Amino acid sequence: MQNIVVVGFHKALASAITGVADLLGLAGVSWNRIQGEEPERLFNVRIASPDGEPIRCINGLMLGAHMSYDQITSADALIVPSIGGVFEEVLANAAPTLELLRRADRNGWVIAGNCTGNFLLAEAGILDGRSATTHWGFKEQFEQRYPKVDLKADQLITRDAHIYCAGGGLAWFDLGLHIIERTEGFEVAIQTAKAFVIDYRRDSQLTYSLMRLAKPHKDDLVKDVQAWLDEHYSETVTVEALADRFNVSKRTIIRRFNSALDMPPNTYVQSIRIEAAQKLLEETERTVDVVMNDVGYDDASSFRRLFRKKTGLTPTEYRRRFSRRF
């Protein structure tokens, strides 16, 4: 069971705490009940506050805490909810929260901030030099206050190493579903989305849909190649051409990919193509052959073989099972 701690603080947005706690707490439970199967709790969700006492959310609701920050000795993930109050006031009184986030960063725990809660991550300094997002309405304020952060406010979800950020408002459920997918797999995530009757993978950007593919790493060359492939995966791509484009030898690029991602470049390209095909099958009415062409394949038998190898299903079976038109 994954241990998740929601970081509570005064003037937080209540729904960003209770909503994600319900979503994670009922993963493996609600869907199983609907299907007449034995419920299986997958996440142990606890709320922490600076001193273990209840917090007063921005709507006046008092939420009890299971523990204090000091009692958090380990966690599979910390979730930081949205700031509901005036940023300056919350940040001025956030010293315990900031220290907790710095400790979590030093320990390499997964940290997931939602919406304006990402101001706390930036205030703690753990987003310096990293990619992040926040509510679109506070983009300029965030950029002015935290110039060292690589803000991508047009993205709903960002990830840099072990730190995830979600954009505005109800993006906590996107964040929660990705935590479920990251730890329990795609099928459990989409089952949870169906049980809660919410859309999954709302953002059309490929980097968002491919979050579960690539593990965190610090190899700048591989990151640059990944960023280029995110935009050009449907083109004819060879290892030799990639090596030439990034001015390294074929041997070097293969070695660096194997070290950073546990796979060579050609396998990575296949994987992101199949992931892109999954998304198109889930969200569009395009025929399987059109999807195949859109992601860079022209050999139907090869495409279907690779798709089945990765997903365990044919493209048609996958669409029937995971299409949003459920």
Side-chain angles (χ1 to χ4, degrees), residues 14-24 172-173 196:
S15 60
I17 298 175
T18 59
V20 78
D22 284 341
L23 185 70
L24 294 175
W172 56 260
F173 72 68
F196 276 77

Side-chain angles (χ1 to χ4, degrees), residues 279-290:
K279 186 174 178 66
L280 291 173
L281 290 168
E282 293 163 21
E283 299 181 353
T284 75
E285 301 283 351
R286 299 176 200 175
T287 66
V288 172
D289 285 343
V290 170

Side-chain angles (χ1 to χ4, degrees), residues 75 99 143-144 153 160 229 300:
E99 180 51 41
E143 288 176 329
Q144 291 171 3
D160 197 317
L229 287 173

Side-chain angles (χ1 to χ4, degrees), residues 83 86-92 94 98 101-102 115-134 138-152 165:
I83 296 175
V86 177
F87 298 152
E88 289 77 10
E89 293 178 4
V90 173
L91 295 173
L98 302 182
L101 294 175
R102 295 180 187 119
C115 189
T116 51
N118 293 315
F119 276 74
L120 286 163
L121 277 62
E123 190 75 12
I126 66 173
L127 291 181
D128 287 354
R130 285 173 165 158
S131 299
T133 190
T134 190
F138 302 101
K139 174 180 181 291
E140 292 184 2
Q141 188 173 346
F142 192 101
E143 288 176 329
Q144 291 171 3
R145 190 175 181 109
Y146 308 112
K148 295 181 180 179
V149 179
D150 181 16
L151 185 67
K152 301 181 183 299
C165 296

Side-chain angles (χ1 to χ4, degrees), residues 243-316:
D244 289 343
R245 174 172 289 277
F246 290 92
N247 198 30
V248 295
S249 68
K250 177 181 175 181
R251 182 176 180 179
T252 294
I253 201 168
I254 292 174
R255 175 177 56 81
R256 298 275 284 270
F257 260 75
N258 281 327
S259 176
L261 300 176
D262 296 327
M263 67 178 77
N266 58 342
T267 301
Y268 181 83
V269 172
Q270 290 178 354
S271 296
I272 62 174
R273 284 176 171 174
I274 297 302
E275 293 257 359
Q278 288 176 263
K279 186 174 178 66
L280 291 173
L281 290 168
E282 293 163 21
E283 299 181 353
T284 75
E285 301 283 351
R286 299 176 200 175
T287 66
V288 172
D289 285 343
V290 170
V291 168
M292 174 188 73
N293 292 327
D294 285 347
V295 301
Y297 290 105
D298 53 19
D299 184 322
S301 62
S302 175
F303 170 68
R304 285 171 168 80
R305 184 178 68 255
L306 289 169
F307 192 95
R308 189 179 187 102
K309 181 179 179 181
K310 180 166 179 60
T311 68
L313 300 169
T314 67
T316 301

